[in-house]
Amino acid sequence: TDEQGNNVIEYKDKDGKVILKKVQFLSNPSTGPAGWLNTYYIYDKLGNLRFVLQPKAVEWLLTHNWNFDSNTWQNSLIAKELCFSYEYDDRNRMDIKRVPGAGETWMVYDARDRLVMTQDSALRALGKWMYMQYDSLNRPVLSGLWATNKSLKNLQNHASTSVSYPNPTSNYEILTETYYDNYSWVGASGSGLNNALITANGVTGTSYFYAAGD
């Protein structure tokens, strides 16, 4: 209860997951949904969050016998415009995400369950994917855009058995690169700097490259 006497009520299932959150907005709300902003959370049998029904969606569903405006919710305008929804692969990794008013976001994971590719509806219209590469310590080292017409399933099949996928050789654009200590990479980075600078220039070189231990 806040300082104005308005209540926020949460209902949870036996696993402790919130299934309904009610926020009071009328001074004398009913014991039912009237007078409250109601948000429902729906889970599958594995405990994965599948739907978040926002108050506007709940209001519409209450007056339509809790049925979407289509036989399949994938074609429902109410589901697409007023609800969050999520899909998962056979390893419980979220591979499709839907946000109200936006197209689907697709996600691809590698053999270490690292997110290596994403594509929203804007990139999909361009036929491109955002991709990420990691080092052996799972640190992101590169991101870029890759133009490919491969399907989500095809890309996931390739990534599932690899720790270095994707590694495009054509039709790609690098956006960011990240380097980490030590400095053995410097000489080959194309920067023109020498990775031996700290020793070649004595004490003055420390202003350029500190040892990893520092």
Side-chain angles (χ1 to χ4, degrees), residues 1 6 11 16 24 28 33 41 49-50 68 72 74-75 101 106 108 121 123 125 139 157-158 164 166 177 188 190 211:
T1 303
N6 295 319
Y11 298 83
Q24 180 182 345
N28 293 303
Y41 302 84
L49 180 64
R50 299 301 298 267
F68 282 124
T72 57
Q74 292 92 336
N75 297 322
W106 297 349
V108 174
S121 57
L123 285 176
R139 299 175 298 194
N157 287 340
H158 282 90
S164 58
E177 289 187 84

Side-chain angles (χ1 to χ4, degrees), residues 21-177:
K21 182 177 180 180
K22 299 170 60 174
V23 179
Q24 180 182 345
F25 75 93
L26 292 181
S27 56
N28 293 303
S30 70
T31 55
W36 303 87
L37 297 175
N38 303 279
T39 303
Y40 281 89
Y41 302 84
I42 301 172
Y43 305 85
D44 62 20
K45 291 182 178 180
L46 297 178
N48 296 315
L49 180 64
R50 299 301 298 267
F51 265 94
V52 178
L53 307 180
Q54 298 186 100
K56 193 69 174 179
V58 174
E59 181 181 330
W60 190 92
L61 290 167
L62 279 170
T63 60
H64 290 80
N65 199 31
W66 288 97
N67 291 314
F68 282 124
D69 53 327
S70 172
N71 291 331
T72 57
W73 63 263
Q74 292 92 336
N75 297 322
S76 165
L77 287 177
I78 298 301
K80 289 182 177 180
E81 298 296 327
L82 299 178
C83 303
F84 293 84
S85 62
Y86 312 94
E87 293 186 26
Y88 301 82
D89 64 14
D90 54 2
R91 297 182 64 174
N92 279 347
R93 301 174 301 196
M94 185 186 299
D95 59 355
I96 299 178
K97 177 175 66 174
R98 300 178 186 88
V99 175
E104 294 180 349
T105 297
W106 297 349
M107 291 161 274
V108 174
Y109 302 83
D110 69 3
R112 291 187 179 178
D113 294 334
R114 299 176 299 194
L115 182 65
V116 293
M117 299 183 72
T118 61
Q119 186 189 64
D120 59 19
S121 57
L123 285 176
R124 194 148 45 248
L126 299 174
K128 296 182 179 182
W129 286 78
M130 175 76 74
Y131 72 95
M132 289 74 70
Q133 294 179 349
Y134 301 83
D135 65 11
S136 59
L137 299 178
N138 299 327
R139 299 175 298 194
V141 294
L142 184 146
S143 70
L145 294 174
W146 180 24
T148 176
N149 58 4
K150 294 180 179 179
S151 66
L152 171 61
K153 183 177 181 180
N154 184 291
L155 292 169
Q156 185 58 70
N157 287 340
H158 282 90
S160 292
T161 58
S162 174
V163 295
S164 58
Y165 189 87
N167 189 20
T169 57
S170 62
N171 300 321
Y172 69 93
E173 173 189 359
I174 294 176
L175 300 179
T176 65
E177 289 187 84

